[in-house]
Each structure stands twice: as C-alpha cells, then as structure tokens.
C-alpha cells in the first residue's frame, strides 16, 4: 500500500499548514493551494485540485483540510486502517452533530466496533477522507465541471459515492479533529469530531476487525423499515429523526420528532425515563441508543462519543450554566441510560 496525501489550503491559514505537513510524516503531504483565494470562498474549488493530486504509484489518496488536527502516530494509524479496508472510502473524521452519521458512529462505538458504515444521504465527512487512487482520480473528473459557486465539496462527494454505491466507513476512533479556527465559508456552526483518538490511538490490530461487523451495522440502517431512525440531541432536547429509507428526503432537514411523543413507535415506553429537564433528555438519548444497539466487544470509545453528544447537543446557555462538571455529569447520565437498557436486554 502506498498513500499519497494532499492538503487543501487557503493562504489565510498559512500559519497552520507547516505543522500539519510535519504531523503527516512519514507520509509526504502535498499542499494544494486555493487557485483563487480572493474569489468566492469555495472549498469545492480547491477540492477539485486536491483530489486530482494523486501521487505517482499511489494505491490510495487522502485529502485533508488545512484546519485539521491529527492524532498521535497518525501515519502508522492510516496505513493500518488502509490495509484493513483497502476497497473502501474511509473517513478519518465525522462531525459531532451531522444529521445521520454522528449517530451511526456513536451506535458503532456502542457496539464495540472499529468501523462505522456511514449514511448514503448525509454529507461526506470531507475534513479527512481517503479513497482508492483510481476512485480519487474519477472523483476529480466528476467534480471538475461543477461550478465553484456550488461551494460545498462534501455534498458533491456524497453524491458521487451514492451514484457509484461506494461504501464509506468512518474509523472509530477518528484519527482527525477539526481545529478551533474560524470558518472560511458562511457556516457558523461549531464543528468537532464525534470521537477523536487524540494522544491515545488504538493498537494497529484494532483496525483488523472482522468485516462482517461492518455488514451487520450497515444492514441495520439500510433496511426498508418505515421506523428506521437516528437519535439526536439538539437544543438540549432529545429527538427521533426518522430517516425514511429509499425516499428523496434530505438528510439535513431541521424537522425532528420529540422522543417522548414518538418513542412508542420504536417500541419504547417513555415512562421508563426518570426525572425532568436536561438530565432526563440526555438519559433518554442514552436509553434509546441502548435499545438500538448490540455488543460486538469492548466499548472503549463509547464514553468519549457520548461526551461529544452532550457537548454538541446543549443550548449555549445550558452549556455555560452547567460548566465542565455539569456537562460531565450529563455524560454519565447518558451512559447510565444506555447501560440500563442494555442490561435489561441482556437479562431478558
């Protein structure tokens, strides 16, 4: 296996790119600079060139955005992951509050999996994405005629993968975090990784999990079930988002169904959730996750995945009011809800 690396770069972030290139070593990263940095801000414009920058002799190509932060031992982790899943599109990052993928990553973490099959309709997590080299070149050709004014490369990459039915997996944990720098586009949300390896990445053997686990997780989300759903924490409340498989409904719509009113449709009695307020909302989210998962093995990355769920799902006022200790208590409440349901299922 030989992985080439391209870094999508805007000159406004010149202070970031040097350290990112060094963090990739011994993988050699080529910096691909926005060809029109004073024009309309368009990640798509730079992505076209970054995906075309496949290195000579490369078997795989990785594109990283210039505000990325890499885990320790990044290159070795990438190579171990690629060797384990050489035919897949691999995401080394996913947003902590993406409409479907964030939940799919958390559900896989709850199952003890190393890989999370991602949604075909959610946007692609383009902060750090790898493809087989031939597919990367094909993507570059696909993107080239799309006007730069479309801006969002992640939606176009998702469309490309969907049309070709290319399976996309995210690593658990993620090898990449998004740096706390201002967005260069009009997006105002805060973006972070769903579960980041940081300074404690797993051993290389972690990635060599049985691919049958991927198929089981994917099948649970792609079945033609009218009650297929993800669980959300948004604005300090818990929601069910029914995904309506095989429809054209966009993944990112803002409409959700309040969990208490709709839980019976997925077989949950809402009276099992104790208390009221924000604590009850996150407990309910954990309980609903527990009802929708099963165990492959150790769930080492579940608690950090739930912690980002709480952080991303609170209203700013609640986040400030609760402080670090209060948010940590909410994470434990979410984990408790999950454990209560899993324990009941095992006992049953």
């Amino acid at each position: 296996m030989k992985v080439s690396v391209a870094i999508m770069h805007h000159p406004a972030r010149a202070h970031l790119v040097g350290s990112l290139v060094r963090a990739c070593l011994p993988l050699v990263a080529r910096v691909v600079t926005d060809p029109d940095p004073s024009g309309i801000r368009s990640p798509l414009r730079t992505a076209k060139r970054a995906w075309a920058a496949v290195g000579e002799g490369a078997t795989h190509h990785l594109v990283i955005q210039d505000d990325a932060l890499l885990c320790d031992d990044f290159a070795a982790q990438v190579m171990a992951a690629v060797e384990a899943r050489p035919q897949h599109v691999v995401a080394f990052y996913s947003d902590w509050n993406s409409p479907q993928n964030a939940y799919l990553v958390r559900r896989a973490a709850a199952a003890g999996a190393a890989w999370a099959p991602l949604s075909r309709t959610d946007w692609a997590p383009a902060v750090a994405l790898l493809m087989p080299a031939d597919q990367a070149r094909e993507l570059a050709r696909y993107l080239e005629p799309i006007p730069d004014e479309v801006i969002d490369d992640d939606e176009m990459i998702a469309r490309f993968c969907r049309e070709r039915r290319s399976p996309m997996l995210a690593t658990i944990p993620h090898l990449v975090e998004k740096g706390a720098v201002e967005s260069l586009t009009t997006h105002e949300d805060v973006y972070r990784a769903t579960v980041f390896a940081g300074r404690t990445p797993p051993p290389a053997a972690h990635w060599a999990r049985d691919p049958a686990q991927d198929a089981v997780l994917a099948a649970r989300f792609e079945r033609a079930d009218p009650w297929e759903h993800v669980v959300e924490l948004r604005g300090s409340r818990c929601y069910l988002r029914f995904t309506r498989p095989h429809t054209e409904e966009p993944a990112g719509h803002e409409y959700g169904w309040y969990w208490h009113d709709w839980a019976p449709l997925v077989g949950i009695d809402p009276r099992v959730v104790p208390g009221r307020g924000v604590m009850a909302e996150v407990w309910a989210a954990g309980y609903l996750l527990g009802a929708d998962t099963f165990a492959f093995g150790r769930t080492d990355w579940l608690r950090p995945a739930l912690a980002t769920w709480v952080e991303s799902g609170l209203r700013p006022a609640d986040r400030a009011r609760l402080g670090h200790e209060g948010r940590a208590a909410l994470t434990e409440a979410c984990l408790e809800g999950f454990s209560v349901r899993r324990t009941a299922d095992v006992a049953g």
Side-chain angles (χ1 to χ4, degrees):
M1 300 294 177
K2 180 179 179 182
V3 176
S4 63
V5 181
I7 296 174
M8 291 173 51
H9 174 57
H10 191 281
R13 292 174 172 168
H15 62 294
L16 300 176
V17 73
S19 59
L20 183 54
V21 168
R22 290 190 293 274
C24 288
L25 292 172
L27 294 174
V28 177
R30 173 182 175 184
V31 178
V32 178
T33 302
D34 186 336
D36 186 16
S38 61
I40 182 174
R41 296 291 172 88
S42 173
L44 176 60
R45 181 173 56 233
T46 311
K48 294 175 182 180
R49 291 152 180 83
W51 284 107
V54 180
E56 183 177 354
T59 60
H60 295 78
H61 187 56
L62 169 62
V63 172
I64 307 174
Q65 295 179 3
D66 62 2
D67 59 346
L69 300 174
L70 310 186
C71 73
D72 283 8
D73 203 24
F74 175 73
Q77 292 287 316
V78 167
M79 295 308 300
V82 170
E83 289 172 3
R85 297 295 187 274
Q87 304 302 319
H88 287 75
V89 178
V90 175
F92 295 117
Y93 168 94
S94 72
D95 287 331
W96 64 355
N97 59 358
S98 59
Q100 296 178 6
N101 286 337
Y103 179 73
L104 297 181
V105 167
R106 292 186 175 101
R107 189 172 68 174
W115 299 91
L118 299 183
S119 166
R120 295 186 186 277
T121 56
D122 204 346
W123 51 76
V127 171
L129 195 65
L130 176 142
M131 291 185 179
D134 288 346
Q135 193 169 358
R137 296 185 187 97
E138 185 182 358
L139 172 61
R141 293 191 293 269
Y142 181 90
L143 296 177
E144 185 56 37
I146 301 174
D148 295 341
E149 288 75 13
V150 171
I151 296 177
D152 293 324
D153 58 330
D154 50 5
E155 293 188 15
M156 297 302 100
I157 295 170
R159 190 177 73 177
F160 170 83
C161 292
R162 186 164 57 249
E163 290 176 358
R164 284 151 182 78
R165 300 193 65 80
S166 297
M168 185 183 301
L169 299 174
T171 58
I172 299 174
H174 302 335
L175 306 185
V176 172
E177 175 64 282
K178 197 167 175 66
V181 297
E182 185 177 356
S183 173
L184 295 177
T185 64
T186 57
H187 299 300
E188 297 180 356
D189 292 340
V190 175
Y191 297 100
R192 294 290 183 273
T194 306
V195 54
F196 179 45
R199 304 193 67 177
T200 56
H206 173 79
W207 306 115
R209 301 287 186 89
D210 185 355
Q213 294 182 0
D214 309 346
V216 171
L217 289 167
R220 285 175 63 84
F221 190 67
E222 295 179 353
R223 61 182 185 243
D225 183 345
W227 308 124
E228 184 62 62
H229 65 280
V230 299
V231 183
E232 288 186 307
L233 281 173
R234 175 162 45 91
S236 297
R237 302 188 81 188
C238 177
Y239 295 92
L240 294 171
R241 180 191 286 265
F242 292 96
T243 56
R244 305 183 67 217
H246 312 299
T247 71
E248 297 300 319
E249 186 169 301
H253 68 78
E254 292 299 316
Y255 184 70
W257 293 261
Y258 184 52
W259 76 270
H260 188 278
D261 302 330
W262 293 88
L265 287 179
V266 295
I268 303 298
D269 183 349
R271 293 174 296 182
V272 301
V273 178
R276 300 177 61 185
V278 178
M279 187 73 74
E281 298 293 315
V282 299
W283 199 99
Y287 188 88
L288 289 163
L289 174 63
D292 192 33
T293 194
F294 46 85
F296 286 134
R298 291 169 54 92
T299 57
D300 297 335
W301 297 98
L302 176 58
R303 180 178 271 104
L306 297 185
T308 65
W309 207 7
V310 169
E311 290 284 345
S312 65
L314 292 177
R315 294 185 307 153
D318 287 332
R319 189 179 300 115
R321 174 179 60 83
L322 289 162
H324 176 75
E325 291 186 1
R327 298 195 300 274
L330 289 181
T331 298
E332 294 307 309
C334 192
L335 183 60
E336 178 184 300
F338 173 84
S339 299
V340 166
R341 177 56 194 239
R342 294 302 305 135
T343 300
D345 285 346
V346 172

